[in-house]
Amino acid sequence: MNSIFDFFFKGNFFIKVLTFLYTLLLSWVMNGQVQEIPNYKAADIDLYNQIVKMDSIYFTAYNTCDMKTQADIFHEDIEFFHDKGGLTTSKKELLESLEKNICGKVTRTLIKGSIEVYPIKNYGAVEIGYHKFYNNREPEAKSTPSKFIAIWKQENNQWKMTKVISLH
């Protein structure tokens, strides 16, 4: 009887069994948490398509330095939150900054399939996605995906960006 007790409860075997059971329990708990996050599915496919199209129009203008199109898309009361640059609430200053610091220097690419669009009743939509920015002066520099959030307002059948949160 002592030899069976010694085999199971003395030395490395007992520690190994406990470690195995702990690992099993931990993986079960973590797997349950991941499964709580559902895969994104657009609630309104027409709204999704409209916002994806507006994103494409805006960033084509951004990449080609089309300041008129950018100005047309930004709402007069734009709030642009940048994790490194802070808050900009002047449309004029934002456009001047984009022209001075971005035009011809930076290119944005969307991470395919990353856009999520959620309706905001009596207002418009929120767009969440990932994109990359490339420094055109350093083509070999690594670009990492960053998250963005845009609040779109529909006024007179036109979409305008009212708030942008840019995270790098």
Side-chain angles (χ1 to χ4, degrees):
M1 176 91 164
N2 281 341
S3 61
I4 292 175
F5 179 83
D6 289 347
F7 177 76
F8 285 104
F9 298 104
K10 284 191 174 181
N12 290 335
F13 182 78
F14 185 66
I15 299 298
K16 289 177 184 176
V17 169
L18 280 179
T19 302
F20 174 74
L21 291 175
Y22 176 76
T23 304
L24 244 131
L25 178 64
L26 187 62
S27 68
W28 176 72
V29 168
M30 296 302 279
N31 189 37
Q33 290 174 344
V34 169
Q35 290 178 355
E36 289 180 35
I37 302 169
N39 289 331
Y40 172 75
K41 185 172 192 250
D44 181 337
I45 195 69
D46 183 52
L47 176 65
Y48 175 85
N49 289 335
Q50 288 179 53
I51 297 302
V52 168
K53 180 180 177 183
M54 289 307 301
D55 180 272
S56 176
I57 291 168
Y58 175 76
F59 280 104
T60 296
Y62 176 97
N63 287 339
T64 60
C65 202
D66 178 351
M67 300 312 293
K68 182 187 179 325
T69 300
Q70 290 181 67
D72 289 346
I73 291 174
F74 284 133
H75 193 274
E76 290 304 315
D77 298 322
I78 185 73
E79 291 181 314
F80 191 94
F81 300 86
H82 192 279
D83 60 342
K84 293 185 171 65
L87 172 63
T88 302
T89 57
S90 165
K91 180 177 177 177
K92 181 179 181 281
E93 288 177 17
L94 177 58
L95 289 167
E96 287 171 354
S97 176
L98 288 168
E99 189 168 23
K100 178 183 174 190
N101 301 309
I102 302 298
C103 283
K105 300 173 187 168
V106 176
T107 302
R108 180 259 197 175
T109 60
L110 177 67
I111 303 297
K112 188 176 171 134
S114 71
I115 291 181
E116 297 180 8
V117 176
Y118 300 92
I120 300 177
K121 187 177 179 177
N122 299 323
Y123 190 86
V126 60
E127 172 190 18
I128 304 168
Y130 283 90
H131 52 196
K132 288 183 176 185
F133 292 93
Y134 295 92
N135 182 336
N136 297 340
R137 295 178 179 175
E138 297 176 20
E140 300 302 316
K142 186 176 191 271
S143 177
T144 57
S146 58
K147 185 175 257 186
F148 69 93
I149 302 168
I151 306 296
W152 293 88
K153 183 176 187 178
Q154 191 170 37
E155 292 180 325
N156 303 319
N157 291 324
Q158 290 186 330
W159 286 103
K160 300 281 186 175
M161 268 197 273
T162 59
K163 294 175 181 25
V164 177
I165 301 171
S166 182
L167 307 168
H168 295 88

